[in-house]
């Protein structure tokens, strides 16, 4: 599974073995958008949770059959893996469950004044909406609009498609946009400021 996906935890809860995509190790970081070892927590844990996950890490998908082979041919090895998963799941559950209480304790004992945000929105008017629609129509009237795509760490890539059958099957993707001309603004302006919270505003 993908290292940022909640399905890793779903697999653990279902007593399954998570298979973690770490192909960025073998493709010079391209598949991780040059993030620095995004599966590091699963591989090594961290200073507050020093436990490596007993998952299957796939640096190259061609090696997956070899990684699975020992568990397919040795029932004892597979049983041991599930035992390690059960132990790890219990440790992770305890760690994650304690985080909200630890945060509350930290906030309660923090003498730094809490800040409260105050935001003001200037809504769009009809002329704004007309300009937005015109820009979008101009952008998508170019049959090669997809060629304007420039990858970035903020673009997941799973919705990057010009094939209508994908867009029709997964309408939540909408019409994928790679230009500010086709990103519909929700408001004309949005400004926030921060002030120390009052006793009633915490």
């Amino acid at each position: 599974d993908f290292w940022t996906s909640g399905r890793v935890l779903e697999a653990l809860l279902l007593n399954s073995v998570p298979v973690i995509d770490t192909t960025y190790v073998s493709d010079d970081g391209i598949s991780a958008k040059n993030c620095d070892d995004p599966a590091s927590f699963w591989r090594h844990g961290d200073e507050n949770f020093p436990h490596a996950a007993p998952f299957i890490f796939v640096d190259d998908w061609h090696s997956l059959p070899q990684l699975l082979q020992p568990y397919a041919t040795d029932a004892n090895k597979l049983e041991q893996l599930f035992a390690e998963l059960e132990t790890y799941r219990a440790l992770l559950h305890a760690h994650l469950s304690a985080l909200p209480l630890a945060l509350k304790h930290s906030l309660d004992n923090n003498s730094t004044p809490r800040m409260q945000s105050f935001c003001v929105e200037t809504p769009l008017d009809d002329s704004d909406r007309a300009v937005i629609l015109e820009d979008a129509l101009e952008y998508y009237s170019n049959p090669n609009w997809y060629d304007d795509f420039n990858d970035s760490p903020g673009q997941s890539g799973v919705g990057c498609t010009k094939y209508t059958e994908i867009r029709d099957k997964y309408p939540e993707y909408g019409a994928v946009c790679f230009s500010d001309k086709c990103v519909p603004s929700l408001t004309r302006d949005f400004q926030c400021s921060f002030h120390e919270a009052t006793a009633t505003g915490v």
Side-chain angles (χ1 to χ4, degrees):
D1 204 344
F2 205 58
W3 23 262
T4 57
S5 174
R7 292 187 179 127
V8 174
L9 298 177
E10 290 176 0
L12 273 177
L13 291 173
L14 293 171
N15 198 33
S16 299
V17 181
V19 175
I20 308 298
D21 179 359
T22 52
T23 51
Y24 56 85
V25 172
S26 58
D27 65 11
D28 295 325
I30 294 175
S31 59
K33 307 294 179 74
N34 293 315
C35 293
D36 183 19
D37 196 9
S40 177
F41 179 81
W42 301 125
R43 284 184 183 275
H44 314 294
D46 60 21
E47 59 181 5
N48 297 313
F49 186 72
H51 304 283
F55 299 164
I56 294 175
F57 297 91
V58 185
D59 297 346
D60 184 332
W61 285 112
H62 294 292
S63 68
L64 182 58
Q66 294 174 284
L67 295 172
L68 297 178
Q69 183 67 21
Y71 304 105
T73 57
D74 189 334
N76 291 330
K77 192 174 183 65
L78 181 61
E79 185 177 347
Q80 180 183 352
L81 176 60
F82 278 115
E84 292 173 356
L85 282 170
E86 185 175 355
T87 299
Y88 180 82
R89 182 173 62 245
L91 290 170
L92 184 64
H93 182 271
H95 171 67
L96 296 178
S97 298
L99 289 180
L101 293 177
L103 176 61
K104 181 179 186 303
H105 179 75
S106 175
L107 292 174
D108 289 343
N109 292 278
N110 190 348
S111 60
T112 303
R114 299 186 188 181
M115 306 301 289
Q116 187 172 12
S117 61
F118 296 87
C119 301
V120 178
E121 175 186 356
T122 304
L124 297 170
D125 59 25
D126 290 342
S127 61
D128 294 325
R129 295 187 183 91
V131 171
I132 291 171
L133 179 60
E134 184 178 344
D135 285 344
L137 289 173
E138 178 186 358
Y139 180 81
Y140 285 113
S141 66
N142 175 9
N144 299 316
W145 62 266
Y146 185 82
D147 296 337
D148 293 331
F149 171 59
N150 291 310
D151 200 6
S152 76
Q155 171 62 43
S156 66
V158 294
C160 298
T161 177
K162 57 186 176 181
Y163 298 107
T164 56
E165 62 268 21
I166 300 297
R167 294 203 302 272
D168 292 341
K169 185 176 180 181
Y170 303 104
E172 66 271 19
Y173 289 161
V176 183
C177 176
F178 310 114
S179 166
D180 57 2
K181 284 190 174 184
C182 57
V183 177
S185 299
L186 299 178
T187 181
R188 174 185 284 185
D189 188 54
F190 190 80
Q191 298 288 337
C192 290
S193 58
F194 298 88
H195 306 277
E196 185 174 337
T198 62
T200 58
V202 176

